[in-house]
Amino acid sequence: MSRFSLHDLAGIIDARAASGGEASYTRKLLDKGPEHCAKKFGEEAVETLIAAVGTNRDHLIAESADALFHLLVLLKSRGVRLEEVEAALEGRTGMSGLEEKAARKRD
């Protein structure tokens, strides 16, 4: 069984962003601009939160997938690559989460 990764999804989003026409939901989102993409991500994030407090594990998984997709589309709409987000996360691994939060408050 192959593993599907966020990089695979980001590649699909890149390909669909480069395509034209009405056949691509991704292209339609991007054509509406970053503000629309942000709104869609927010909607999916809220749906994920609601699913998280419920008891249906499959629903949480499905909503999480929607949220991740829409986050990657939002990043694409702003020209931010997944690798850049990963680098930011990697930079935070040298300290505990509490230390990292405290450092942000000093900045």
Side-chain angles (χ1 to χ4, degrees):
M1 181 172 132
S2 66
R3 276 185 61 108
F4 184 81
S5 73
L6 289 179
H7 285 277
D8 295 329
L9 180 57
I12 291 168
I13 290 168
D14 287 344
R16 290 182 181 166
S19 71
E22 294 291 313
S24 171
Y25 175 66
T26 302
R27 182 73 258 159
K28 285 181 181 183
L29 287 171
L30 291 167
D31 286 346
K32 291 182 180 180
E35 294 81 9
H36 180 78
C37 293
K39 180 182 174 196
K40 287 300 296 178
F41 170 65
E43 291 170 5
E44 296 301 336
V46 168
E47 290 174 9
T48 302
L49 294 170
I50 292 167
V53 298
T55 58
N56 185 327
R57 185 174 186 275
D58 290 337
H59 187 226
L60 175 57
I61 291 168
E63 293 299 343
S64 296
D66 289 347
L68 288 171
F69 167 78
H70 283 88
L71 174 59
L72 291 178
V73 171
L74 173 58
L75 294 174
K76 177 73 176 173
S77 77
R78 288 296 190 188
V80 175
R81 294 182 351 265
L82 179 57
E83 294 82 3
E84 294 174 278
V85 176
E86 289 175 325
L89 288 169
E90 183 179 17
R92 295 177 183 185
T93 62
M95 63 180 81
S96 77
L98 295 175
E99 291 170 325
E100 190 274 330
K101 277 187 102 164
R104 278 192 277 159
K105 288 181 182 176
R106 290 192 297 263
D107 292 341

